[in-house]
């Protein structure tokens, strides 16, 4: 009698969060989708919560089917690869060559998940990044395969720049159905019953200079004075945090890596200004939330994901704590105030004393 293998678990926040955010922004009901796939909504905000890996994979397929977009996963993966992920920022920021980066990725991923096994295999003729799954899938893996291929090929292409030649890369994957047409030449894609994927390229690429701009911000770092007294310093830190506030798993260590500073240095800078990382993150979330509620018509569920919260319920609790108001109530008041301004301007009346 065959024994059924024990289920594998993973952190949904690593696998699903970018997809969940994009799904909600396109009008999808993320809470209903997670419920269909028996995934707790809290799994998108709690880095410690483990969810059955097969349920995460099924949710990815469900998103694409619900939206009617077979290339949904690949599109999100390409955008994520261009912007960066907290989980791989250290590998990207410390690597000098492609080989250095991929070696660090193998180590970093093994610390974070157990649903895949990464390896870098090098011979005189070819180098390969191999990703093997630790579970056998019972359903098609179109989105899962597309996400893996799109993410890592985009990272390699972006990281080595002009060295990248699509004629010299070979991707082996169970199915290419989820990849957008033209993403790679047809001869660069091979379908196989491999349980995962393999990206092969000339070994010379491993020594190519590697650089990603995941950590670069279009804002001055200000003057990092010894006592942290500069307002420019705090402004810089807040701007970096606002840029990355949608990452629910952004820790102090991850934030410090983005800023190019040691975590203890960040703590000292913030302490000198009478605040902390957790307080600043809360303040930035409130500021971004109020701006989106006042100046956009985005649904509450989408705003919640944009500020790193799991959904409307979590957002409602946080917003009440910040302002004593509900998000819908705040939005209604903001709209009323804006309408009053328009009326005053249109009638030429003044609310102040006349000169």
């Amino acid at each position: 009698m065959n024994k059924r293998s024990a289920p594998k678990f993973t952190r949904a926040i690593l696998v699903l969060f970018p997809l969940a955010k994009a799904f909600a922004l396109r009008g999808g009901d993320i809470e209903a989708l997670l419920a269909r796939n028996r995934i707790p909504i809290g799994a998108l905000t709690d880095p410690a919560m483990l969810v059955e890996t097969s349920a995460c994979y099924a949710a990815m397929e469900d998103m694409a089917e619900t939206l009617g977009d077979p290339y949904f996963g690949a599109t999100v993966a390409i955008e994520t690869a261009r912007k960066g992920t907290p989980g791989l920022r250290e590998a990207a920021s410390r690597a000098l060559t492609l080989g250095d980066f991929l070696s660090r990725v193998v180590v970093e991923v093994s610390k974070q998940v157990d649903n895949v096994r990464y390896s870098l295999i090098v011979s005189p003729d070819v180098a390969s990044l191999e990703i093997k799954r630790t579970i056998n899938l019972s359903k098609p893996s179109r989105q899962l395969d597309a996400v893996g291929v799109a993410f890592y090929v985009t990272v390699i292409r972006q990281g080595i720049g002009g060295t990248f030649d699509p004629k010299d890369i070979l991707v082996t994957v169970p199915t290419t159905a989820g990849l957008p047409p033209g993403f790679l030449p047809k001869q660069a894609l091979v379908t196989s019953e491999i349980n995962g994927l393999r990206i092969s390229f000339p070994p010379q690429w491993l020594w190519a200079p590697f650089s990603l701009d995941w950590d670069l911000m279009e804002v001055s770092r200000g003057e990092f004075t010894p006592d942290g007294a500069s307002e420019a310093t705090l402004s810089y830190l807040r701007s970096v945090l606002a840029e990355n506030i949608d990452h629910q798993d952004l820790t102090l260590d991850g934030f410090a890596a983005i800023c190019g500073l040691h975590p203890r240095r960040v703590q000292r800078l913030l302490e000198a200004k009478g605040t902390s990382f957790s307080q600043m993150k809360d303040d930035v979330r409130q500021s971004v939330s109020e701006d989106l509620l006042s100046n956009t018509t985005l649904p509450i569920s989408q705003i919640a994901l944009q500020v790193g919260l799991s959904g409307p319920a979590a957002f409602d609790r946080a917003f009440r704590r910040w302002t004593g108001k509900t998000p819908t109530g705040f939005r209604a008041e903001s709209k009323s105030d804006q309408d009053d301004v328009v009326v005053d301007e249109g009638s030429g009346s003044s609310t102040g004393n006349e000169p």
Side-chain angles (χ1 to χ4, degrees):
M1 184 176 182
N2 294 330
K3 291 184 178 180
R4 185 179 178 183
S5 59
K8 292 284 184 178
F9 294 86
T10 190
R11 289 188 289 170
I13 193 169
L14 295 176
V15 178
L16 288 182
F17 178 70
L19 295 163
K21 179 185 176 185
F23 179 76
L25 288 174
R26 290 180 56 174
D29 187 337
I30 189 63
E31 292 189 25
L33 183 136
L34 292 177
R36 284 199 299 272
N37 292 280
R38 299 189 296 279
I39 299 175
I41 187 68
L44 291 182
T45 57
D46 185 355
M49 185 178 293
L50 298 177
V51 175
E52 193 166 347
T53 302
S54 59
C56 288
Y57 293 165
M60 294 167 65
E61 304 296 332
D62 194 346
M63 289 181 194
E65 292 174 5
T66 300
L67 295 175
D69 180 2
Y71 312 124
F72 170 70
T75 302
V76 176
I78 292 169
E79 179 60 29
T80 302
R82 290 171 178 165
K83 181 178 180 181
T85 66
L88 296 181
R89 282 187 190 275
E90 184 173 356
S93 63
R94 295 180 181 275
L96 299 178
T97 66
L98 175 60
D100 189 9
F101 171 73
L102 294 178
S103 298
R104 292 174 184 272
V105 166
V106 169
V107 174
E108 290 301 314
V109 170
S110 67
K111 295 177 182 177
Q112 299 176 34
V113 299
D114 68 352
N115 57 301
V116 290
R117 294 286 181 267
Y118 280 42
S119 59
L120 181 61
I121 302 171
V122 184
S123 74
D125 300 318
V126 66
S128 297
L129 174 66
E130 293 198 356
I131 304 175
K132 295 183 179 180
R133 299 177 191 131
T134 58
I135 66 170
N136 293 314
L137 302 178
S138 59
K139 296 181 179 180
S141 57
R142 290 184 295 269
Q143 297 306 305
L144 178 61
D145 295 337
V147 165
V149 173
F151 180 82
Y152 281 106
V153 169
T154 300
V155 165
I156 293 172
R157 187 197 307 263
Q158 183 172 316
I160 63 176
T163 301
F164 184 91
D165 188 337
K167 297 192 297 294
D168 289 336
I169 197 168
L170 185 67
V171 175
T172 305
V173 70
T175 175
T176 61
L179 290 173
F183 177 71
L184 282 175
K186 290 184 178 180
Q187 61 269 26
L189 299 169
V190 176
T191 56
S192 166
E193 293 184 359
I194 181 175
N195 188 22
L197 65 93
R198 181 187 303 116
I199 302 175
S200 302
F201 47 86
Q204 293 85 353
W205 286 13
L206 294 173
W207 287 271
F210 184 86
S211 177
L212 293 171
D213 59 0
W214 287 356
D215 293 342
L216 299 181
M217 303 293 299
E218 294 182 3
V219 61
S220 171
R221 285 173 58 140
E223 296 296 329
F224 287 129
T225 55
D227 61 358
S230 171
E231 286 297 331
T233 298
L234 187 61
S235 176
Y236 166 74
L237 294 175
R238 284 180 61 89
S239 68
V240 173
L241 187 55
E243 180 72 17
N244 295 277
I245 198 64
D246 60 332
H247 291 295
Q248 298 170 341
D249 60 340
L250 186 61
T251 62
L252 172 61
D253 287 353
F255 175 69
I258 296 171
C259 297
L261 298 169
H262 190 279
R264 184 58 190 142
R265 182 77 188 283
V266 174
Q267 284 182 317
R268 287 196 295 267
L269 289 169
L270 294 177
E271 287 171 0
K273 302 302 295 181
T275 187
S276 64
F277 175 66
S278 60
Q279 181 60 54
M280 186 172 67
K281 185 158 63 172
D282 216 36
D283 292 343
V284 169
R285 276 185 173 150
Q286 178 181 350
S287 176
V288 173
S289 298
E290 291 180 352
D291 178 60
L292 292 174
L293 287 169
S294 299
N295 301 306
T296 77
T297 58
L298 287 174
I300 299 298
S301 60
Q302 294 180 24
I303 294 177
L305 288 177
Q306 289 212 31
V307 297
L309 297 173
S310 60
F315 184 61
D316 185 80
R317 289 193 298 271
F319 202 82
R320 285 173 184 269
R321 175 167 55 83
W322 295 331
T323 66
K325 304 173 183 178
T326 66
T328 51
F330 179 88
R331 170 171 273 173
E333 289 182 11
S334 176
K335 185 176 185 303
S336 176
D337 291 342
Q338 292 173 5
D339 289 344
D340 288 344
V341 170
V342 171
V343 169
D344 287 343
E345 290 178 347
S347 63
S349 62
S350 173
T351 56
N353 295 324
E354 292 186 8

